[in-house]
Amino acid sequence: METVTGVDMIYVNEFTGSVTTVKYKRIRKEAGLWTYRYDATAERELERMAMVDNECEQLDDGLDPRLVTAPSMVKLCRNVPFVMSSTALIPGMTASAPKHRPTFDGAPKGARLGLTDPY
């Protein structure tokens, strides 16, 4: 699914008929800031996510303004061990996938997004 949609997880709520997709991105501490390096890989992933979002937005009937039509979310997480059988949630900061994102300039480390305290 990641190569098609750009996301790591797909959550389906069968009761409401809704879907949320999430791309997890690891943040690391650099110079006292929790940092995510936006690079060419992230750009390609977000482009694939945008294609899914655009398809979903075309299906929007506009009847419920409380819901976000585009299902794609990005979650920034500290580097913590992942245990597949765990029911614990991965702490982090989640936001809808940005339509207007930083321009990747081709720098080896990519553009930097820094947070003083993400959570």
Side-chain angles (χ1 to χ4, degrees):
M1 289 307 299
E2 185 173 7
T3 56
V4 175
T5 65
V7 300
D8 297 312
M9 294 288 283
I10 300 173
Y11 298 92
V12 178
N13 184 327
E14 292 179 352
F15 180 75
T16 62
S18 61
V19 173
T20 300
T21 61
V22 181
K23 181 68 188 175
Y24 291 91
K25 288 297 184 182
R26 182 179 301 139
I27 55 176
R28 295 179 173 89
K29 201 123 189 191
E30 287 184 18
L33 289 176
W34 287 98
T35 302
Y36 170 68
R37 292 282 182 177
Y38 182 84
D39 58 10
T41 301
E43 178 66 23
R44 288 188 301 272
E45 292 164 347
L46 287 173
E47 285 173 1
R48 291 192 302 267
M49 292 167 70
M51 289 189 309
V52 173
D53 287 350
N54 291 338
E55 286 290 320
C56 291
E57 287 173 353
Q58 292 177 16
L59 300 173
D60 183 20
D61 58 12
L63 296 177
D64 193 342
R66 299 170 296 163
L67 298 177
V68 176
T69 307
S72 299
M73 306 293 278
V74 174
K75 185 166 185 175
L76 300 176
C77 306
R78 291 181 186 166
N79 192 12
V80 295
F82 175 71
V83 180
M84 182 63 87
S85 62
S86 173
T87 58
L89 298 175
I90 298 172
M93 182 177 72
T94 307
S96 61
K99 288 185 182 286
H100 306 286
R101 50 195 182 269
T103 302
F104 174 62
D105 60 7
K109 289 188 173 183
R112 176 179 167 168
L113 170 65
L115 307 164
T116 53
D117 189 3
Y119 36 89

